[in-house]
Structures are given as C-alpha cells and as structure tokens.
C-alpha cells in the first residue's frame, strides 16, 4: 500500500525526520476531537497530564481509552485484583477530573494488567479500529513503539503501542473490517495527526510547555494514590499530608525541562509510518 | 546452535559489520537461482525493480514469492477485496513483465493484506522453508527486520521480515520439518547469500547502481496503477497520460542517489545472523 | 505500575543509564542463590562460562534453567532429534561439571529447538515466574532483549529474552498468578539484580575479568562436541586431539578483551525496566 | 458449581427429562424481553419464523443477534463476499419486517461465514455474556448443541450453539468477566428460560403451533431470495412469480406437522444444563 | 496406532460393550495407587465420595488432581475470585479429610473456573501425561466424555474429560513428550483400568454400593459450604444446623439407588478407547 | 446457507435417513476419481482395504491423503519418531501396492501423530479444500464424525473427521478461500458422494461385500508390520512366519460379516450435511 504523499519516504527512508514537522500544535487546539490510548490508567497522567490539561482548557473533546484495568500492581498482601481494579478506576477518574476531563470521557477496554500481550491481536486491532472510526479524531495520542525503546515495551506497553498504530492504519481503509461500515455505518477515517508519548530522547521531536499546568499534573499524579508509597504496600485511599508533600516535591524535581520550562515530550508524525 | 564460521561473531557481537562484506555482486550474477520474498505485490517493485531488471538481464532464474494479496489498500468506495486482489495480481504481473520476469515466476502465498501477522507463525515458517528447499537459491532477497526500523515493521512487513529469516535458518538443518525430506524428498539448503531491502541508511551496506534500468523501474512502478492517484481513489485500470508523466517525474526525483548514480540499497550478510 | 524508586526514569527516559550502576559484582558474590536462564544448552557456556566458574568458585548456589533441548542443530544426516537431544543434554552436563556446577543444578524446560517462539506465551511466563518464586535468587542472568539487537533475536533467543524479563516482573507482584501462592505457597519475589548476556557493544555496561578461568571456559566450550566441526557434520562423541587444539586456539583468539584482559560482557540493571 | 435447584440432576443424570417441563409458553408471552441468537441470518427464519411472528404479535421486545454475516453461500461466480454480506443483511431485515420485527432489533456480531469456529472462544463468550447482561431477557432462543446432532454442527453451528450456552452460564455469575460490572455497570443475569431450535426429533420437547402465521413464515423464508434457486446461482434481487410460487409450495409441503398442525420444534430447559 | 488386544474393536465397533467387563472392583482394591482427575473441587465429592471413602478404607494411595480452582461460582456480591479460590481449596481439603484422604494428596492444576477450555490443549495433555507417568496408577478415575452427554460437557467438563483421556493415551507411548523420559526420567505408563464418572444411564456399566459410607458422602458434600444455599448467596463459612439437616436430607433423597442400595455409577473400560 | 435439494432436511431433521440412499455403489465404479482421507497410515487399511482393492480393480484413480505420519505408536524403547515415520511410510506404501495402488497416489499432510488436534483449524480446512478442488473427486471417503462415536474421536480422529467435512463444504463455494481460484485457478467443486468409515453399527447404512478381496485386505494389514506384535515392542521389519499366520488368522476371525459375507461398513450421504 502506498499513500502518494509518502512517496519520498517509501523510496528513501533517510528522509523520514524531514517531513515530520508538526503543523498542528496540541496546546493551541480548540474544539477538536482528541483520542488518547493508554496501556494503563496512569501512563496518560505521568506522560501527558499537562498536555491534557491544556487541551481540556482549549475546549477540545477528549476521549481517553484505557487498554487494561491495572489490577496487578500492588504489594499489599490483602489486596485482590477485583478490589485493585475498582481502586484504579476511581483514581483515574479523579486524575482526569483534576485535568478537566469528566469520567464520561473515559472508556475501558477491560483487559487485565500484564495480559494485553495475550489478547487476540487481530480482534484487538478491530476493536480499536472501531473506536477510531466512531470518534473520528483530529489527533491520536498513544504510546510510542519506538526503536531503541523496544526492550522496555514488552507486554502491555508494546502491545498497546503496536496495536494503536495498526488500528490507525486499518481505520483509514474501508476494506479493513468492512462489516463495521455495513452493519454499523462506520466510515473509514484517516487520522490527521499522531503524537506518541513515552518517547526516548532520541526520538522526541515535539515538546509541550506545561509550566502553566504543572501543579495540575502533580495533583493528577498524586490522585493515583495506590501507585505510590506507602499505599502501594499497605493500601489506604488517601494521603498523609507529609507523605503527599514529599512525594510531590520529589516528582516535581524529576519532571523534564527544556530551555528552563517544564515540558512533556512526544514523537509526532503526520505521514506514512505504519506501512 | 553454532556455525563454526561464525565463531568470532558469537563471542564478540561488535565484529558483525566486519565480515558482512559481500563477495557476490547481484548485478554480476549469471545463470543463478534467485529467490525474492515480498510482503505485498509492490514492495519488490519499489525497492528492487532495478536490481531485478539487472538480474533478469543476466539470465538468472528469478522466483518472486508474495506473502499477501494486497487486497485492502484502496480508497475507492466501490472496491471490494476480491476485486482488488485480482487487480493487484495483474498489476504485479505487468510490473514483472516489464522487468523481464514472466508471470510463471510469481508465487502467491495467498494471505490477506494486513493479516499476515495473524497467520500461524510456525506453519508460515514451515511453508517458506519448503520453498527454499525446493528452489535451492544462490541468493535470497527479503525485507529487512532491521534494528531501528522496527516501528515501521508492524504487521505484514515485520512478519514477512522475521519469517523469511527464520525459514532461511530452518532450511539449513534437516531436523527442522523432517517430513519435508521424508515425504517430499526435499534436502536441507544453506542459503549462501542474503540481501535485505527496505533498509535504513544506518544498516545499508550494499548499493546497486540502477542507472541503466531506471526507466524500467519507473515503468514497473507505474504498472501498479491502483496504488497511485487518481486510481487509488476511483479505480481506473489505466493512466491518463498527464497523470502518468507527472507521477513518474515525481518518483524519479525521489529515487535515492549515491555518488551521482541512481541506486537501490540493501543490507547484505553471508554469515551467522539468525541465531 | 510504578516502582517509586524508578520515578526519575518514568518521567525522563534519558536518565536510564545513570542509575544502572551495578552495586553488586558477580565475581565477588559468596553463598548467594544465582539463577541463569539460557535459550539453548550452549549459550550459557559461550557467553557466561567464565563468570559461572568464578561464581561456582565463590560458593554460590547456581541453578541453570534451559528453555530448549537444542535438538535440531546438526548437519549429520543420520542424526535424529531424539538422539541429538540426548547428546546435547550430556554435553551441557559435562560443560557445567567443568565449571564446577553439578548436573542436579540443571533444569530443562523441555521445549524443542527453534520452537520456543510458538509456545503459549502466557503459560511460559507463568512457568518461569514459578521458578523465580521458588528459587528466590539474588541475581538473575538471562539473554538480553536489547535494542539494536532485535534482528538476531528471532525465535528462541527473542522469546527467551522477553519471557525471562516478563517473568521477573510478574514474580514481584502477588496478583500475578495468585494460585502459585494459594496452592503452592510461593511468595512473590523481587529480583534484586539482573545481568543480561549476549549483549551488544553499545548496551554493555559491565564486564567480568575471566583471565583466571579462561581455560575452563575453553574446556567447557569444547565439551559441546556436537556443536563443532567435524562432529556437527558426522557425529562423533569425542575429539580428535588435533581438531581439539585447533578449535580451542581459534576460539581463544576470539574471546573479547578489555584493557588487556579476557572478559565477558553484560548489561546490568537494578531498577525499573520491565514496564 | 452447583445450583441447588439442580440437585437431583447433579446426582442422577437420568432425571433430566423430568424437570424439563416448560412453565412458560412462548406463544403466550406478552411484553417480555426475548433474545434470539442465530448463526446465520436465515437459520432464525427457517427454524423460528412462526414463533417469532407470534411473539412479535404478543407485544414482546425481541432482539435478534446474528453471529455471522453469511457472506460465502453463493454459487454466482460474479458474487463477492462484500456484496453478498450486503444482500444477506437486507434480506434478513426484510424477513424480520414481515414477522413484525424492525431492523433496529437486529444486531450483527460481524463474523464471517464459516469462520466462527476460528474466533477466539473466550472473547466470543465474553461478548455474548455482555449482550445477555445488557438485555436481561426472560427467554433466550438459540441453536441446540444437541447430542446426536453433533455431526451437523461443525463450524458456525456448533460454535454458536456452544458459545451461547457458555455465555448463558457466565452471565449468571458476577465473577465471570467482572470488568463488565465495574466499568459498564452490567449486573449478572440468570436467564429464566432457554429454548433451543434446530433440534432433533429425539431431543424435541416443546412445539409451537404456527398455523396462524404459516404464511408469514413462508413469506419471510422467501425474503431470503439469494438463498434459493435461481438467485443462488445467478444473483437477482427479486423473484420471478412462478419460481416464487413453486418454491413456496415446496417449502409448505416440508414444514413439520404434529397432530395435524404446522409446528416449530424446540428443546426447552429451565435448569442446570451448562455445568 | 493399534493395541493388538483391541483388534476386535478396531474391526467391529459393535463389539465394544462386550469386552468392557471390569475385572477390577474398585471397592476391593488394597494398597493400590489410584489417580482421580476432577474438573472442579466438588465434582469428585458429588460423584465419587462414597467410592473414595471405600478406597481410602482399603489402604489405597489416592491422589486427587483438580483442574480448576472453582473461583467463579458464587452469587455473593462481596465475593472476589481470589477469596473464593481460597474458600474452595479449604472446603475440598475438608471434604477429602472426611473421606480419609489427607490434603497432601491433593494437587491443583491452578486453572481458573470456566477457563479450562481456553488452555493450550497440547500443553495441558503434556502436563497430565507427566502426572500419570509420575504416579503410575493402577486405576484412573475421570469425568466421562460420553456420547449423548456432550451438551452438558462444554468448557471445563468437556475439556477435562477429553484431556484426561488424551493424556492416558499419550502416557503409554514413550514417543509422546519424549523429553519427560530424557530430562525427568519418566518412563511411559499404560493405565490398566479407567473408570469414568458423571456418566449417563445409558453408558453406565459399573456401580459401587456405597451403603456403608453414605453418611461420609453426605458430610463431605456438606463440607462444600459455599456451594449451597444460603452460603452461595451470602457467604458464611459454616452451617446453621437447621439448614444443614434440611440440605443433607434433600441430598440423601436424590442419591441414586440400584437394587435398593445407594450407588455411584461409572463407565469402565480396560481396552482400546482413545484411538 | 441452504442447498435447495436439502429443503426437507432443513425443516425436519427427522427426514435425514430417508434421502441417504446411495445411488452410487463403490464396488461398481469405473474410471472415477476417488479421494480418501485417513488420519493415520493404517486406518484406511483396516477400514477400507477391501473396498480400495475393489475400486482399484475397477480402474478408478485413487488418491490417498494421510493427515499424520503416525510417528508415535511404538513400544520399542530404541525407536525414534523420525525412524518410525520412515517405517510407517514404507509400510503404507507396501499396503497400498498390495491393494493395487501405487505410491505416487499417496499424499502426506505431514502432521505428527497425536498432534493433528493442535493444528491451526482454519489453515487445515484451507489445505484440504485445495486438495478437493484440485482432485475434483466423484467420491470422498473419510473417517466418520458420527454421533455417539465422539468419545473415540479425540485428537487425530476427531480432527480429521471434522476437518474433511468442513473442507467438503468449503470446496463447494468459491467465496471460501477465493485466492485458490484467483492465484491457482482452482474452481469450486461439489463432492457428489461421501462415504464415511470407522462407523458405528447405529450409523452404518452401506456395506461393501469384500469376499473376493479379503486375502488382499489381510495381506495389506500385515504389511503394517510395526503396528503388530512382536514388532510393536521390538521393531523388526519383517514377520516370523508363525507370528504372521497366527495374527492373520486372528484378524480374519474379527472381520465383520453381514449375511454370511465379509463386509466393510460405511455411512454414506449425498445431501445436506455440513450445515
């Protein structure tokens, strides 16, 4: 398959970075449909919370689709997966609310934590293709299936990264999953802009200045109480004030900066890249 | 497993590029058996048409094995997959004819476009191993499962890339798929030379000068009418003359050059690389 | 999921190399439980024999877990897979004995050579998670699922590399495979130190000086008689003296050196890397 | 698992027929939610059209869920699967309209004809469980996974038969697919009455008198134009009057009778049968 | 494959019942190794508790292997799967203790309730083959994959039934899973006697008089507290006395009788039946 | 899907036996194409050798397709699977030669014994569909996926039985596996007559008198030396004369008789049965 716009790329792979200049600035979008895919209900917060807050402020319609229910990551011996899934759902809703996104904007694909890799890959692409064709987003954000980064990407992250890209490609052509058009009336959709988070320094080519929303990002991160000490070891639903301040301070110190500003980094592309 | 010729590599991975010097120049082969694997019926044209034309001119026996039938990539709302598969088959036959390769030299593995990833991987290796043992080629060309390149390789490309390499390895040892020897009389075969196309700049280590056949390459590319505007949006089986000239000119401008010559790039290796 | 120790990493991927400083030196360990996973019964010898010899000398308890039985890699037309599996088992036992490791320390996962990729991945992770939780090792050694290296990693090597990492992650959380705790009494286990062999120059960050055991390494490698000429073509269980000396000399010449010393290279990490 | 109501059955399988007395007569239901699962969009017509017409007349809410799109069964050499799927969808809508069921009451699961067997069975159960929990039907009708009948049941029919039964069982217990409750608010649902069509004489234990709607049944059957001669060989969307009358007469002659009345046969059960 | 003892069967299937005469009476065995496979930790109690009590009394070594952990079958909205698995494990241990079987005699295969069907079937056969070869039982008891009965057998029951039979066959031939011999020293084992429970009236050909242990059977059944009302709806770990007496009485009334005696029914076979 | 000839059946399953009258007598066929599918290379001999001999004598073109290589069924501890596969291939060739069928008429699908169940079912149907469309047989013989018989049918037998039926159905419709037409020129084929062997008494509806070829059948059966004592325990390629006579006599005594004649039994059908 060949998109003619991508002709240069097809013949000369070296040209790739050249045409990857984003014509769209996420932080300046207004009234657009934004679709974000995240492996777990915290990856979006840690990687994109600032950008999400800016896009929410811009009056964009944001839909967050979460692959897994994150029901494994607790050291608390009394915790069960069913309980943890419930906790993680509410924490994600809290985090999103802080960023200006209502819980009706969150969709859960309901896979279990650490088990996404074992889903049927064809069906998973079909499911996400359906979502893209329904939402018809101006922008998709997802986790980067980047080059060097592959060793960190096993299981949920790798599967989510590749799956979203595959679905973006399939969504564009009506002959993929044609029953979606026939039985559900879903037209194909070519995603205009893709931004990938969880990106290596080497691959990042786009940064969002989040100075104005960095406190919201910190608060959203803190809303994931059960992901942090001490709650990750002995679950409690709220923070002790001292713990909260200490954790927030530590996190603030680690938020990446560029030219003196807090940023979130992305790899963006507008062209031929799923071939 | 250990090929003793690869001893240095095994112990010191840094040595890899050193022994990758091709002793065989594709463009100088005569009367050899060449086997090319391509994910779709156009990847071979876009990446190797010049080289194929040179090898056909050299009197080599070329067999082209195509993993998928490319039955998805059309924006034409009237198109069906069955119809598109027929179109793509004839276009590939036309493209090959232009390069001097008859349609009896083309084999189709009959997978559907975008669905190769979901084939049974063990069976797919067995199927391609059988082809290699039957053909006993001097040279195999295939798509590169290269390092950085992995993000472009999802689905058909990645699956085809890895699968061919796995089959090259399996073909060499009679204990892989031993029924092929027992019931079909197929002896193991060690592929002497491997050339991978669709290669990154960083990995390319071999270039074929295609100056003398660049027009053939352009004509072959144009034979894939349904892959280009306007046919990709509203199918027509032939070109309007003006569209043809414009598209050809644009493509000519994008063919990679090296030292002032039109080239096709490859990564070649003769040793231990499937371990 | 988020280990708080990995906070910096999570927010800024560039920081990764900084905290990868090994606090533990393999060659100085005493009385520790060491767990090594190897795709085939010779990868451990070729990559780690010296280090294994040093750790055995240090009085550590070493368990070697071998994913496949290596029952395909012979050119001998009279060889059968059942016979080769038996040969390879005894060769591995011989090699380990030379390094100071008894055969009761070897566990076989019993997959067939070249077929590990086709195992059920969820079950394979569960199986290795069980082993980690039973052994509770101070150090795990395994094959590196490294970045650029991915093209050499198809089938057994890639599957073994990714699978071990996935199991290391799963072993840590009691909600992965909770029946192991309920029905077998296996508590979760966080592996303190990971060392990956079969590493690229670019990724290596730890080297063991094996000067004092290089002869043991050579002898152990020679114990894999059926992997070398002439036995790989016409099986014989022992060496002709001249062949042995020649092969050993050739191999000695290829063992990597650093600062004038024979070394074995690893990538080590102690933190967040399976996310 | 054990439903205590089924105690007798559990201990003595011979008791099964005794408690299978239907307390509910399909033809007398009013204002109930009815859920029918059919492998293809014509099995429901051929087996249940009369009963459906009676239930529609009774003011029940009927939802028809169709596993496959029936896109293979044409001898017309010009037919494509995409085209046939469209035809079959419209024919089913026509047939249902004749029976008094609007097209908004039809749901398509979008599997391809003859390929249901190869769907991921766990996911298919989950999907149908979700539908049952959403619809909360008083009665489920589905194809019978009956005893002797198994040889006619391969592929779509067998898979649909078993899958519906599995989903009926799963729907009842909240611990199956608990994310449906957590993320979608779907409560478990115990299906009170099950009726299985496509039943052998030996297994049938319930008959609906369809005398009053037999013409509707014939008309609905005729609406599946492409399933009959001559359209099945050379597609035409409508009937020649003579063909129509002849086919209808032939079919009328074959509708089963019991005690002089046209009937449709079922196996019904209200108790323990999915264990 | 052909066991010569089964020659008559092979040529004339009608002869089957004739040679199925059990030479071995379960209730008269002493000092034998008995191996029982059950889908869930209660099927063995409901179908075989009396027979198990008699065999335990006879001084036989009984091993009970349980495919699933039965972690789904509760209506209690507060129940989680992890909790239910723990409950069911202890209830099974209690039931076995009542029958004279210690908890060290129970092995759990750790599959989740309702999910056995989705296990990798080849691996599941391998796992059970290993158990048979280790235990080398005189008698295997398992759930019957009987003829008419297939519709009750979906998911766990069908899978367990077929899987045990497949493993019995595989265990007999050393060329199935030959690594079990090579790496674990497990010799093939031909199971002398097979008894299948959960059998239809039509297939039953063997009955055990359980008059002398019927109270033990009732007590063992009652030990599965969470399987009965009211605990199945609102979990409590013990019985109210009145509930207990009522449930026990009801169950007593349903235990099958033959010639005035309480019995448990089986289908037994000693010959060729897995072909 | 609906074949109109099968209308009666579709509406009333009770009618099945009525139209199953064979219009074709196997033993009277001349110059026809016959296609037989057998799970192992001896099932055809034991069930159909007489019929095969009669059809070979009738000048029919017989193709025998064997699903598995039968490489497991030996008790000889020195046997390996590779060796056994070779033995079984030659024995089948010998048996066929005795019946008048040359070894060029035998095709092997190359699956391993006992592992057919684990093949990819969709691909296996596609593979056998291709064979049917290539051969275009007047008659297909295969193993019966009969009703009561299902318990003997696990693994290879059940899989082969169902798979052949599925392929017979798929072969008839060009929209199944349409690439076989497009890329290989294979037209759909409706198999006129189906005969199923390995049939229960209850299902058998067709018997071939094999009086005139019963000695050939016995000789063919004896050609499978490694399937009988003593060779099955300690392999020897030939018979001791006394053993041979004794085994042959025993087998002769077990060949089914009907009305005083040696027979082979089948279930035959000409109509709608794969729905």
């Amino acid at each position: 398959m060949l998109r003619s716009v991508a002709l240069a790329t097809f013949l000369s792979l070296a040209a790739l970075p050249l045409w990857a200049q984003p014509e769209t600035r996420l932080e300046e979008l207004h009234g657009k449909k934004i679709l974000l895919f995240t492996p777990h209900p915290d990856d979006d917060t840690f990687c994109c919370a600032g950008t999400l807050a800016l896009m929410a402020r811009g009056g964009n319609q944001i839909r967050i689709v979460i692959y897994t229910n994150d029901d494994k990551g607790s050291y608390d011996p009394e915790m069960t997966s069913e309980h943890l899934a419930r906790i993680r759902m509410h924490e994600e809703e809290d985090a999103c609310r802080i960023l200006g996104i209502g819980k009706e904007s969150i969709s859960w694909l309901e896979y279990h934590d650490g088990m996404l890799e074992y889903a049927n890959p064809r069906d998973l692409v079909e499911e996400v293709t359906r979502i893209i064709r329904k939402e018809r987003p101006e922008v998709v954000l997802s986790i980067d299936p980047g080059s060097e980064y592959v060793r960190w990407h096993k299981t949920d992250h790798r599967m989510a990264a590749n799956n979203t890209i595959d679905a973006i490609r399939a969504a564009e052509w009506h002959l993929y999953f044609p029953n979606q058009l026939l039985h559900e009336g879903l037209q194909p959709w070519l995603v205009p802009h893709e931004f990938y988070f969880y990106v290596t320094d080497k691959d990042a080519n786009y940064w969002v200045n989040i100075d104005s929303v960095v406190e919201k990002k910190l608060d959203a991160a803190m809303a994931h109480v059960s992901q942090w000490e001490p709650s990750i070891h002995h679950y409690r639903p709220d923070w002790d004030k001292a713990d909260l301040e200490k954790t927030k301070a530590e996190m603030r110190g680690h938020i990446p900066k560029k030219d003196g500003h807090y940023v979130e980094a992305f790899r963006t592309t507008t062209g031929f890249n799923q071939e």
Side-chain angles (χ1 to χ4, degrees), chain A:
Chain A
M1 288 169 302
L2 180 67
R3 287 191 199 173
S4 62
V5 66
L7 183 61
T9 319
F10 197 84
L11 294 162
S12 169
L13 292 157
L16 277 173
L18 298 184
W19 46 269
Q21 310 292 357
E23 322 143 0
T24 295
R25 295 213 58 87
L26 290 178
E27 56 275 59
E28 294 166 9
L29 292 173
H30 294 276
K32 299 296 186 191
K33 177 66 75 76
I34 312 291
L35 187 55
L36 179 148
F37 292 94
T38 178
H40 306 99
D42 68 349
D43 299 314
D44 54 332
T45 309
F46 287 107
C47 299
C48 312
T51 306
L52 284 170
L54 291 170
M55 291 192 297
R57 185 191 287 171
N60 298 285
Q61 273 183 279
I62 300 170
R63 173 150 299 282
I64 291 177
V65 180
I66 304 175
Y67 277 99
T68 74
N69 65 356
D70 212 12
D71 62 350
K72 299 285 198 311
S74 172
Y75 297 112
D76 186 339
E78 296 309 307
M79 186 60 70
T80 69
S81 281
E82 282 94 339
H83 189 198
L84 190 56
R86 206 175 315 142
I87 291 167
R88 294 279 157 90
M89 183 180 75
H90 292 307
E91 291 177 349
E92 173 71 1
E93 290 172 359
D94 289 346
C96 283
R97 191 175 31 72
I98 290 167
L99 303 175
I101 298 166
K103 75 180 178 185
E104 70 289 350
S105 300
I106 305 173
S107 302
W108 298 82
L109 297 188
E110 303 188 6
Y111 291 88
H112 292 280
D113 192 17
M115 298 291 139
L116 191 66
E117 184 95 7
Y118 317 128
N120 183 300
R122 186 202 157 286
D123 293 351
L124 193 58
V125 170
E126 186 174 13
E127 188 175 6
V128 171
T129 299
R130 176 179 287 113
I131 294 170
I132 294 173
R133 288 173 174 173
K134 270 189 187 152
E135 298 289 336
R136 311 181 81 69
E138 183 72 15
V139 170
V140 166
L141 296 100
S142 188
I143 180 167
D144 194 13
S147 56
E148 295 216 0
Y149 198 39
V150 74
R151 76 170 152 244
W152 321 107
H153 265 175
K154 192 58 180 58
T155 68
D156 297 343
H157 282 209
R158 187 170 71 183
M159 188 70 169
N162 284 338
N163 189 73
T164 305
I165 271 200
D166 282 359
I168 287 174
R169 182 202 51 190
E172 173 182 347
W173 307 96
H174 71 91
L175 294 172
Y176 276 93
F177 313 121
N179 286 327
Q180 295 186 349
L181 176 54
L182 179 61
H183 294 305
E184 305 174 69
L186 296 174
Q187 294 290 339
W189 180 251
L190 195 161
V191 175
H193 302 287
E194 307 164 28
F195 289 80
Y196 296 102
F197 54 84
Y198 234 132
V199 69
T200 57
D201 276 11
K202 186 184 128 217
D203 289 326
N205 61 2
Y206 182 80
W207 295 263
V208 175
N209 177 331
I210 60 164
D211 285 344
S212 68
V213 288
V214 73
E215 291 308 311
K216 283 195 178 188
K217 174 164 184 158
L218 289 169
D219 288 342
M222 296 306 113
H224 295 281
V225 185
S226 70
Q227 304 272 10
W228 300 96
E229 294 293 357
S231 193
I232 199 169
H233 267 93
H234 295 287
Y235 177 65
R236 50 176 288 184
D238 53 3
W239 284 96
D240 176 271
K241 196 168 178 344
D243 284 338
L244 177 63
E245 290 315 312
K246 178 164 157 291
T247 305
K248 213 193 260 194
E250 190 185 0
M251 178 169 167
R252 186 182 286 110
H254 285 301
I255 294 180
K257 289 198 167 185
K258 194 175 161 72
D259 306 330
H261 299 286
Y262 289 114
V263 293
E264 287 172 347
F266 297 89
R267 180 174 67 83
T268 183
T269 175
T270 56
F272 176 92
N273 77 343
Q274 316 90 8
E275 182 65 5

